[in-house]
């Protein structure tokens, strides 16, 4: 059976396509007074990192932000935003080389609108500010201590890098996706516990990634392809049904394990919350669970509600496939295991799409060549007119 073979190919490819992540690690960066910081984060964009520790007694944090300006002679910036999640409202620290003194400077900016920034007071107390540039690799570091505004377990942070500074004023940054997505939630309290577990966390993230790519990203779509196309061939009936159930139930089991590892990772998150990825994951778990249990209440084939059940089942199924693939890409962007793994997955999805398109054409031809053209190809199990025992009917 061609599709079974392609299924095998897909699985083998998927195992090759997923492998351990190699990401930059803030833990190898050298800092002045590095013992001040108990935790560090590789921020998701702009190759930036944040080192920090939180002093609950004084409700203050020591932070060190490390980034490389987009061009030499540029600037780097890190900010907390007490009033929003984006740039406007940010209380920013910006570091650059001051052309009048030739020394590195770090200044504070109350960013109240898009447009040129102006040095100003900011809404929280900040002291011990310093900036450094490593002229060998071009990285800049901002050091500061801040009185934490509001809830230390739920702060909005924004970071940025820029290409140039004119007359002591940082010029506007680029508008690439890395720049536009340089924001996130910072949890100073939770981050304290993970400072030393970088290695095992990376391993956990990889396991999470592998389980979820295999289940949500590959097995669920393959199961849908099986159900949609194999049933058009009378000889594949009822094999397609068992294959479909086997595939989706295994995908569900693997997917739930992957989901569990994701929740675990989220609960011990190193300060950053990936809300879209998390919410998509939770949604996927819920609708997939409903989908699995919907099998138990499936009306008999000739029941008048079966038609509606089919619409419901197919709708949810396609939603799972779309959201699943979307969330795999969200995951790739968080874990950033290297371009080749993402490209590998894109190729795999393209192959699956190609197989689906091919089968769409083939099944159309099969159906059109049937003597009894009144039967539709996709109206459910055993559609070739013969009566048969329903495998899962109660
Ligand atoms: C506590 O916070 C104040 C600012 O509110 C600061 O001047 C002081 O140095 C901080 N103490 C410690 C131990 O960081
Ligand atoms: C920052 O700018 C906003 C808008 O102009 C203003 O309302 C706010 O008081 C400013 N904050 C500080 C600390 O100056
Ligand atoms: C500057 O960067 C280079 C290259 O990454 C590194 O080897 C060196 O230790 C850095 N210097 C300092 C003072 O951090």
């Amino acid at each position: 059976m061609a599709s079974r073979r392609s299924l095998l190919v897909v699985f083998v490819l998927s195992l090759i396509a997923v492998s351990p992540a190699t990401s930059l690690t803030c833990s190898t960066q050298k800092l002045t007074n590095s013992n001040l910081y108990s935790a560090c984060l590789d921020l998701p964009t702009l190759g930036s990192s944040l080192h920090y520790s939180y002093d609950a007694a004084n409700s203050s944090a020591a932070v060190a932000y490390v980034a490389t300006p987009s061009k030499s002679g540029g600037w780097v910036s890190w900010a907390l935003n007490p009033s929003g999640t984006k740039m406007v409202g940010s209380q920013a620290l910006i570091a650059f080389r001051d052309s009048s003194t030739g020394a590195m400077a770090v200044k504070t900016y109350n960013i109240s609108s898009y447009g040129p920034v102006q040095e100003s007071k900011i809404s929280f107390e900040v002291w011990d500010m310093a900036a450094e540039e490593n002229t060998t690799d071009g990285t800049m570091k901002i050091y500061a201590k801040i009185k934490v505004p509001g809830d230390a377990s739920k702060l909005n942070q924004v970071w940025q890098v820029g290409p140039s500074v004119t007359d002591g004023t940082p010029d506007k940054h680029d508008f690439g996706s890395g720049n536009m997505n340089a924001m996130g939630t910072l949890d100073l309290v939770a981050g304290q516990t993970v400072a030393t577990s970088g290695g095992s966390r990376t391993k956990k993230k990889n396991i999470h990634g592998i389980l979820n790519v295999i289940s949500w990203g590959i097995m669920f779509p393959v199961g849908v392809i099986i159900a949609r196309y194999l049933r058009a061939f009378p000889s594949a009936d009822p094999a397609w049904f068992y294959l479909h159930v086997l595939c989706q139930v295994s995908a569900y089991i693997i997917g739930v394990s992957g989901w569990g590892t994701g929740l675990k990772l989220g609960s011990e998150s190193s300060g950053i919350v990936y809300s879209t990825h998390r919410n998509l994951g939770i949604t996927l778990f819920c609708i997939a669970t409903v989908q699995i249990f919907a099998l138990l209440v499936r009306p008999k084939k000739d029941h008048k509600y079966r038609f509606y059940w089919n619409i419901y089942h197919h709708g949810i199924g396609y939603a799972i496939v779309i959201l699943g693939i979307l969330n795999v890409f969200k995951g790739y962007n968080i874990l950033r295991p290297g371009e080749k793994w993402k490209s590998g997955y894109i190729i795999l999805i393209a192959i699956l799409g190609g197989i689906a398109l091919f089968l769409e054409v083939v099944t159309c031809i099969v159906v059109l060549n049937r003597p009894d053209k009144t039967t539709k190809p996709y109206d459910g199990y055993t559609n070739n007119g013969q009566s048969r025992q329903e495998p899962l009917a109660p």
Side-chain angles (χ1 to χ4, degrees):
M1 199 184 296
S3 292
R4 213 178 250 174
R5 210 174 310 131
S6 59
L7 194 71
L8 195 68
V9 170
V10 159
F11 273 107
V12 172
L13 277 177
S14 75
L15 293 177
I16 301 169
V18 193
S19 98
T22 51
S23 61
L24 59 144
T25 49
C26 54
S27 52
T28 61
Q29 285 167 346
K30 284 185 213 138
L31 299 168
T32 313
N33 291 330
S34 58
N35 55 355
L36 267 183
Y37 313 100
S38 58
C40 78
L41 285 176
D42 288 315
L43 299 173
T45 73
L46 302 175
S48 304
S49 315
L50 185 74
H51 301 252
Y52 61 93
S53 59
Y54 177 58
D55 178 356
N58 202 23
S59 125
S60 66
V63 296
Y65 170 73
V66 184
T68 311
S70 50
K71 291 205 176 80
S72 97
W75 51 267
V76 303
S77 170
W78 180 81
L80 287 176
N81 189 341
S83 60
T85 56
K86 299 189 176 170
M87 176 176 147
V88 169
S90 289
Q91 306 296 303
L93 309 178
I94 306 185
F96 51 87
R97 191 166 289 284
D98 191 336
S99 55
S100 58
T101 62
M104 284 298 290
V106 51
K107 296 178 178 174
T108 58
Y109 298 78
N110 173 14
I111 315 268
S112 51
S113 65
Y114 293 100
V117 296
Q118 209 168 17
E119 186 182 2
S120 58
K121 275 193 158 340
I122 56 175
S123 66
F124 49 81
E125 215 179 327
V126 41
W127 66 98
D128 289 356
M129 285 196 293
E132 276 175 11
E133 181 184 27
N134 180 334
T135 46
T136 315
D137 64 5
T139 54
M140 287 185 178
K141 300 187 179 100
I142 297 177
Y143 298 99
K145 289 189 185 144
I146 54 177
K147 201 82 187 176
V148 175
D151 180 359
S153 66
K154 201 169 185 295
L155 294 163
N156 297 318
Q157 63 170 340
V158 180
W159 59 97
Q160 199 50 263
V161 301
S164 54
V165 177
T166 309
D167 299 332
T169 302
D171 297 318
K172 71 170 193 286
H173 58 77
D174 297 333
F175 291 89
S177 71
N179 302 88
M180 303 314 280
N181 291 312
M183 59 185 108
T185 313
L186 175 64
D187 187 337
L188 289 174
V189 181
Q192 300 297 301
T193 55
V194 296
T196 54
S197 62
S200 77
R201 242 187 103 71
T202 304
K203 200 165 148 202
K204 277 190 218 160
K205 283 185 179 177
N206 289 334
I207 292 173
H208 168 76
I210 291 170
L211 291 177
N212 285 308
V213 168
I214 289 180
S215 65
W216 307 102
I218 296 166
M219 287 175 77
F220 272 114
V222 167
V224 168
I225 290 177
I226 290 172
R228 183 171 168 87
Y229 301 112
L230 286 199
R231 80 171 76 165
F233 303 97
S235 58
D237 193 7
W240 73 263
F241 180 82
Y242 293 113
L243 214 52
H244 174 63
V245 170
L246 180 72
C247 190
Q248 303 312 59
V249 170
S250 339
Y252 179 74
I253 293 168
I254 299 174
V256 168
S257 334
W259 184 73
T261 59
L263 283 192
K264 185 93 172 52
L265 283 167
S267 73
E268 34 176 72
S269 168
S270 50
I272 277 217
V273 180
Y274 299 101
S275 12
T276 316
H277 186 62
R278 184 170 184 274
N279 294 342
L280 272 176
I282 291 172
T283 308
L284 275 168
F285 169 75
C286 293
I287 61 178
T289 303
V290 168
Q291 185 78 317
I292 294 286
F293 283 100
L295 267 188
L296 304 177
V297 297
R298 189 174 62 145
K300 280 202 183 346
K301 182 180 41 133
D302 36 15
H303 193 284
K304 60 180 173 174
Y305 290 143
R306 177 57 179 265
F307 174 71
Y308 300 105
W309 187 90
N310 279 348
I311 292 179
Y312 150 82
H313 181 71
H314 298 169
I316 296 270
Y318 289 123
I320 292 176
V321 167
I322 293 165
L323 293 181
I325 292 176
L326 196 69
N327 217 22
V328 163
F329 280 106
K330 287 271 170 208
Y332 271 116
N333 290 343
I334 292 168
L335 194 53
R336 286 183 298 163
E339 267 314 300
K340 60 183 167 175
W341 307 121
K342 192 167 158 185
S343 313
Y345 181 67
I346 292 173
I347 291 169
L348 205 71
I349 288 297
I351 292 174
L352 282 183
I355 292 174
L357 198 67
F358 172 74
L359 289 175
E360 186 80 40
V361 173
V362 170
T363 50
C364 248
I365 294 169
V366 167
V367 170
L368 289 178
N369 287 337
R370 275 202 197 131
D372 174 13
K373 290 200 175 63
T374 55
T375 49
K376 286 172 280 157
Y378 312 129
D379 62 355
Y381 163 63
T382 55
N383 49 35
N384 55 0
Q386 296 156 11
S387 69
R388 198 190 294 273
Q389 202 68 34
E390 290 255 336
L392 272 199

